[in-house]
Amino acid sequence: MLFHVKMTVKLPLDMDPALATRLKADEKELAQRLQREGSWRHLWRIAGHYANYSVFDLPSVEALHDTLMQLPLFPYMDIEVAGLCRHPSSIHSDDR
Ligand SMILES: O=C(O)CC1=CCC(=O)O1
């Protein structure tokens, strides 16, 4: 199943800079592992915002929820999710 996810990062202004740096590094490591494994299909910065649009390919809503909750920045993000299905006018034969 494909999911479009918008993540908006909202770190507290008074967060310890060392903690912020560590959370971002841990987030990057996990995000890159999930991309290599194929479940995090797209990761795009939204220009002008500390936010991203992502596409996940996971077997269920529960798997998406579990994946998002694992993210080190999860406690500091607003997350919006939309399930995706094939558009009848799409010319692509697969879902990539
Ligand atoms: O910077 C972001 O948009 C949050 C994030 C998701 C994956 C990552 O490495 O950072």
Side-chain angles (χ1 to χ4, degrees):
M1 300 173 71
L2 293 177
F3 300 95
H4 181 272
V5 178
K6 179 182 182 185
M7 303 179 207
T8 302
V9 184
K10 294 184 171 174
L11 296 178
L13 293 176
D14 61 351
M15 178 178 268
D16 175 4
L19 174 59
T21 299
R22 195 176 77 230
L23 286 170
K24 290 178 198 177
D26 291 349
E27 181 89 6
K28 180 174 183 174
E29 186 178 334
L30 179 56
Q32 293 191 334
R33 179 165 68 79
L34 295 176
Q35 286 173 81
R36 281 191 292 273
E37 291 172 359
S39 60
W40 196 326
R41 287 266 198 99
H42 291 271
L43 172 56
W44 295 94
R45 175 65 73 221
I46 304 173
H49 298 269
Y50 189 8
N52 71 75
Y53 286 129
S54 291
V55 174
F56 286 85
D57 187 357
L58 289 162
S60 65
V61 176
E62 288 78 10
L64 176 69
H65 181 75
D66 292 347
T67 299
L68 295 176
M69 286 200 66
Q70 280 180 41
L71 299 177
L73 288 174
F74 178 82
Y76 307 104
M77 293 197 287
D78 289 341
I79 298 180
E80 297 169 46
V81 173
L84 301 177
C85 56
R86 182 177 306 285
H87 193 287
S89 302
S90 173
I91 62 167
H92 298 288
S93 57
D94 65 12
D95 58 10
R96 284 179 183 270

